[in-house]
Amino acid sequence: MSAAIIDGKAFAAGLRGKVASQAASFARAAGRPAGLAVVIVGEDPASHVYVRSKHKAMAEAGMKSFDHRLPADVGQDDLVALVQQLNADPVVDGILVQLPLPPQIDEQAIIATIDPDKDVDGFHVVNAGRLAVGLHGFVPCTPLGCLMLLKERLGDLSGLDAVVVGRSNIVGKPMAALLTAENCTVTIAHSRTRDLAAVVRRADIVVAAVGRPEMIRGDWIKPGATVIDVGINRIDAGEGKTRLVGDAAFGEASQVAAAITPVPGGVGPMTIAVLLRNTLVAAHRNAGVGYEKGAL
Ligand code: NDP
């Protein structure tokens, strides 16, 4: 079998188009564009690349982003004060603090300072709690993007066996909560899981969010399964070059799976598209502007 490729890039482009058209309606109704404040601390090059692409995507969708750059040695109190100021700013609908933060900053305390209704990353414990108990709230962008791809591919997920490999707060745990809400039978695997291969082999849906290049082998995959590869790993490609690979061994897994996301071009593009979507949802709520159910 040669798996169908789940084209996250195309799906994300479609979502961004939908967001852009809704963003234009929002701006007309609210008299201002939807706004996202992006806070970045320090000079980490990867973080700056991510933040630049978020600003660019916001502009392309007709939304406004506010750029807040702080020096690497900023103190906790100054960062808290900035977040509080953004919480109170009526034209800021969403607040994103780019992680990781430098060691002198208590990351959890900063996330806890963000108004949960502006927490478009969905990292605040209030939003994690809302997801856990099935209330509306913001869901972290990457797992929500994975769920969108799965539903687009498989439709109803009810009764399917899903294995999520990885239990981080930003990917694995919310992914498992989303799949549970979709009536999957969910197993969360992690570094202490015994016989991971056997656990993965039971799954109709495998979500790999480990951060280990090509760890999930083809013979771990149940024939006909759907594989969502969240991993982004840069490996040596020889001759001084590098290339990106996922957490699943794509060549092998695509011989067995019915469908698989590639790396790059699978889950990656979904993350920013969902961030735009979450920001626009926040804007509608913040400004008291309604939108058609299912439009976002
Ligand atoms: P974390 O490092 O926070 O979590 C990794 C998880 O994998 C942990 O739960 C860990 O288990 C588990 N793990 C590690 N080694 C093994 C192993 N040998 N067997 C089984 N489980 C293992 O990573 P993230 O969740 O933040 O990210 C995961 C991957 O997804 C990374 O490659 C990251 O780059 C990528 N990513 C991609 C995004 C995108 O936009 N596409 C966004 C976010 C992340 P334990 O808890 O026991 O330590």
Side-chain angles (χ1 to χ4, degrees):
M1 184 189 293
S2 192
I5 303 300
I6 301 174
D7 188 345
K9 203 171 161 192
F11 188 95
L15 178 58
R16 284 168 66 158
K18 221 156 74 169
V19 167
S21 108
Q22 293 290 322
S25 314
F26 172 83
R28 278 194 299 276
R32 64 167 181 87
L36 173 70
V38 182
V39 180
I40 182 163
V41 179
E43 298 304 329
D44 176 54
S47 294
H48 276 270
V49 169
Y50 288 135
V51 163
R52 264 199 304 278
S53 51
K54 286 168 187 172
H55 286 300
K56 185 165 171 273
M58 283 290 291
E60 282 169 7
M63 303 199 277
K64 185 158 179 59
S65 57
F66 305 94
D67 192 6
H68 294 274
R69 297 168 190 224
L70 299 173
D73 62 354
V74 69
Q76 179 87 13
D77 292 350
D78 288 338
L79 190 49
V80 166
L82 172 61
V83 172
Q84 285 169 340
Q85 178 200 319
L86 297 171
N87 283 343
D89 189 335
V91 300
V92 171
D93 302 297
I95 301 169
L96 181 155
V97 179
Q98 185 66 40
L99 303 179
L101 292 168
Q104 79 275 13
I105 303 287
D106 177 349
E107 213 163 85
Q108 282 308 318
I110 298 301
I111 293 170
T113 306
I114 298 172
D115 176 347
D117 294 329
K118 294 191 176 190
D119 169 41
V120 287
D121 259 340
F123 294 165
H124 195 292
V125 286
V126 166
N127 283 317
R130 285 169 173 161
L131 176 61
V133 300
L135 292 174
H136 279 294
F138 290 109
V139 175
C141 302
T142 301
L144 184 52
C146 293
L147 183 70
M148 288 176 179
L149 294 178
L150 279 168
K151 288 179 78 166
E152 160 80 2
R153 172 79 204 165
L154 297 171
D156 184 11
L157 308 183
S158 269
L160 296 179
D161 282 318
V163 170
V164 180
V165 190
R167 56 174 166 180
S168 72
N169 290 337
I170 62 167
V171 188
K173 283 181 196 151
M175 188 74 241
L178 285 169
L179 291 167
T180 304
E182 293 294 327
N183 302 312
C184 292
T185 303
V186 182
T187 303
I188 305 179
H190 45 76
S191 66
R192 309 291 177 88
T193 297
R194 282 190 223 150
D195 200 353
L196 183 60
V199 171
V200 172
R201 237 173 247 131
R202 291 203 298 265
D204 303 305
I205 294 170
V206 181
V207 180
V210 190
R212 293 187 180 260
E214 302 179 320
M215 188 188 83
I216 306 224
R217 309 309 309 184
D219 65 357
W220 299 15
I221 305 293
K222 174 165 137 179
T226 301
V227 178
I228 302 291
D229 193 345
V230 183
I232 303 176
N233 308 288
R234 191 166 286 284
I235 61 164
D236 187 358
E239 296 173 357
K241 294 190 178 137
T242 62
R243 68 187 176 96
L244 291 182
V245 297
D247 289 343
F250 182 85
E252 294 174 16
S254 59
Q255 296 305 307
V256 190
I260 186 166
T261 55
V263 177
V267 173
M270 291 301 293
T271 300
I272 286 188
V274 175
L275 173 68
L276 301 181
R277 181 247 172 221
N278 281 358
T279 302
L280 194 53
V281 169
H284 281 87
R285 289 191 198 148
N286 186 23
V289 174
Y291 62 95
E292 234 175 86
K293 201 169 177 284
L296 283 170

